[in-house]
Every structure is written in C-alpha cells, then in structure tokens.
Amino acid sequence: MRAIVVRKFGDPVELAEMPVPEPGAQAVKVQLDAAGVNPFDLKMAKGILEGKLPHDFPAILGVDGAGSVAAVGPDVTKFAVGDRVVGKFLVPPAGHGSFAEYSVLPQDATLVAIPESITNLAAAALPTAGVTAQDLVDAAQIRPGHTVLIVGATGGVGSFLVQLANIAGAHVIATARGDTADRMTRLGAAETVDYSRAPVADSVRFTHPGGVDVLFDLVSPPEALAPLTELVREGGAVYSIVFSADEAALRERGLRGGNFESKGRAPELARLLARVAAGDVVVPIDATVPLEEAPAVLGAAGARGKTVLAI
Ligand SMILES: NC(=O)c1ccc[n+]([C@@H]2O[C@H](COP(=O)([O-])OP(=O)(O)OC[C@H]3O[C@@H](n4cnc5c(N)ncnc54)[C@H](OP(=O)(O)O)[C@@H]3O)[C@@H](O)[C@H]2O)c1
C-alpha cells in the first residue's frame, strides 16, 4: 500500500510502499479515505516522541484519519465491516499512522462512527485540532460575556476554537494577519488584531483597558507569552498548548490554567461530531491535497484552517 513514512527520525518525509496491516483479535482495520494534517506530524517525524513511545520503522506518519472498516478481529464488538469511522491512529508502537491506505486500531482506542451527514474528508479534520479546541473551552469554563483572546487563531486549532468560544457566549478577540480577518469574523470573532502590525498586548490593552478573562495561546514561545498574560484579569485563565506557560508565575497572579495537553478521547470526538452534524460547528478545511503531496505540506507555515490529505 502507499504510505508516507520516515525511515528514521529526522530523515526526509517520503512516499513508500508498505505492507497492508492486519488486525489482531481486538482490533479494527480501516481503509482510509482522508487524513488530517497537524503540526505534530512533522514533530513526530523529527522524534518528539523518541524515548516516550516505542516506534516501528519505516514509521508511517499521521494521527488523524477517516475511512471505512475493512476487517475486524474476532473479538471486536463495537464495529463492523463497512462502518464509516474516524480516529486517532497513534497507539504504541508508533509508526502505524493514518497517512496510508490502511491502518489498524484497537477497538477501544479513539475511534468513533461518523454521522451520516459528515463526509470522511470533514471528519478527518476533527480529531486533533477540533477536539483540542473543545477540550480548551471545557477546561476554561467559559461563561457568556467572558472576553477571550485567542493567539494563533487562524490555524487548525484556532479555527475551531474561535467558533466554540463564540458558541459558549464569549466575546472573542482573534489574532489574524492581513486578509484573514474576515475569515475569523465569519467563524465568530467579535474583533481581530493583526499581530504583524503591532504587539498584540498593546493593541488589546488599548481596546480593553480592563483586560481579558481568558487567554488561549496556541503558538507563542515563553518570552512572547509572558507579556500577553499581563492582559488577563485576576481570577482569569491562561492556556498554552505549546508548553510556554510559567505555571508558578500564573498562580502568583491568581490565574488558572497553564500548559495544556488535549486527551483527545473517543467521547469528546463523538461530541464534536454531533455538534458538526447539528450544523453548530463548521469544519474549516482550507486545502485538500493528494496523499503523495504530504511531504510538501507537512510543517508548512501560514495555515488557514485545516489541510486534509485525500488518500
Ligand atoms: N497541547 C496539545 O494538546 C496540542 C494539540 C493540538 C496542537 N498543538 C500544537 O499547537 C500548535 C498550533 O496547532 P495548529 O494545528 O493550530 O497549528 P497551525 O494549523 O499551523 O496554525 C497555527 C496558526 O498560527 C498563526 N501564527 C503563527 N505565528 C503567530 C503569531 N506569532 N501570532 C499569532 N498567530 C500566529 C499561523 O498563521 P500565520 O503565520 O500566517 O500568522 C497559523 O494560522 C502546534 O504547535 C501544535 O503542535 C498542541
């Protein structure tokens, strides 16, 4: 089968011919139609999980994927051949990901049925970015009327987060460079700030001298996050999904939150799918490219929503 692999950490990402996997007793074999691209995929290729998870090489990349069940192990009770499913194709040993024609997952992994009204392409965009955004809104306990600043709003996580924070009743301020402001407004941002024109902290302090209730930072390194946290009122919350928060400093200032890692489990993915099926959340797909083009799109800068590979 065709797959996108690295032969060792740090090697070039390439298209390769790999054996078709077969499911064990408790596992499900999925014929993948679509795979969502995330910044994490390239980080994994470079070895971010080295020493944390065992890997098989050549390692097939990709976490998010959607398709149809092609075979099930004898002890599988939750899925049947032909079911459309979406999941996170990252279980130990790593290296059997979703950038391939087939992959195998235990039935108890993050794998859920896709509602009829959602395409496999749209479903594949949800597991990492969408569920992270939903988990962030849940963790922050956003209430109607809260002012929420989202830094890095234009990418995969941000394009879901703007919508979900808006649905929760927040007044959303989203960072957006150049002509992406309109897109953020359509997704639910009440205001946008162009971080390339002036420091975000200065712009937001000017329009909101009383500060904001919640800061979701999806991109800033520690030195850039620190001045932004000054905007958050006492009792508010700061979340960094790139591990830039100084949690002790946040506590000293009476702020909640800190560094945040999405669990990305099946019930949360099923809840997000239901919200998409109900028409409450749109799936912000920016580009659909063939599997073969994965090496060119992995790690590309300037994301505008999600890129999905068509397999
Ligand atoms: N901890 C977790 O559980 C978790 C979960 C998911 C993702 N992540 C991580 O979170 C990060 C974001 O993920 P993603 O999928 O949203 O990435 P993405 O799709 O690449 O989006 C990042 C966005 O940020 C914008 N950006 C870059 N620099 C910026 C700046 N200084 N200020 C404001 N915006 C800026 C980019 O556009 P422009 O450059 O054009 O502005 C782009 O639209 C990645 O590092 C990812 O690995 C962590």
Side-chain angles (χ1 to χ4, degrees), residues 93-291:
H96 302 272
S98 60
F99 296 174
E101 290 177 82
Y102 292 91
S103 190
V104 159
L105 266 187
Q107 64 170 344
D108 292 327
T110 299
L111 186 69
V112 302
I114 302 173
E116 208 178 305
S117 62
I118 301 177
T119 64
N120 291 354
L121 271 178
L126 298 175
T128 296
V131 174
T132 299
Q134 186 177 256
D135 286 352
L136 280 168
V137 169
D138 289 349
Q141 299 177 309
I142 291 176
R143 300 275 172 269
H146 275 168
T147 301
V148 172
L149 171 61
I150 303 175
V151 175
T154 38
V157 177
S159 296
F160 286 105
L161 188 53
V162 167
Q163 298 181 64
L164 294 167
N166 177 52
I167 291 167
H171 177 97
V172 177
I173 309 168
T175 58
R177 203 153 56 105
D179 58 3
T180 58
D182 286 351
R183 205 182 131 256
M184 290 289 99
T185 305
R186 282 196 296 276
L187 290 176
E191 295 174 44
T192 56
V193 264
D194 187 338
Y195 75 91
S196 66
R197 286 178 174 253
V200 173
D202 293 352
S203 306
V204 173
R205 193 170 290 110
F206 185 73
T207 48
H208 296 269
V212 303
D213 298 292
V214 176
L215 165 63
F216 291 124
D217 194 302
L218 315 178
V219 290
S220 301
E223 63 280 9
L225 180 64
L228 292 164
T229 62
E230 300 294 324
L231 292 168
V232 183
R233 289 194 264 271
E234 194 180 339
V238 173
Y239 291 92
S240 165
I241 63 166
V242 291
F243 297 88
S244 294
D246 178 342
E247 296 185 343
L250 294 182
R251 299 294 170 267
E252 267 173 37
R253 290 201 41 231
L255 300 178
R256 296 178 288 122
N259 295 309
F260 186 86
E261 181 138 38
S262 168
K263 300 272 184 294
R265 300 220 170 99
E268 282 73 37
L269 177 55
R271 180 154 66 97
L272 183 59
L273 282 159
R275 296 169 91 172
V276 173
D280 296 336
V281 175
V282 300
V283 183
I285 294 179
D286 175 44
T288 305
V289 301
L291 178 71

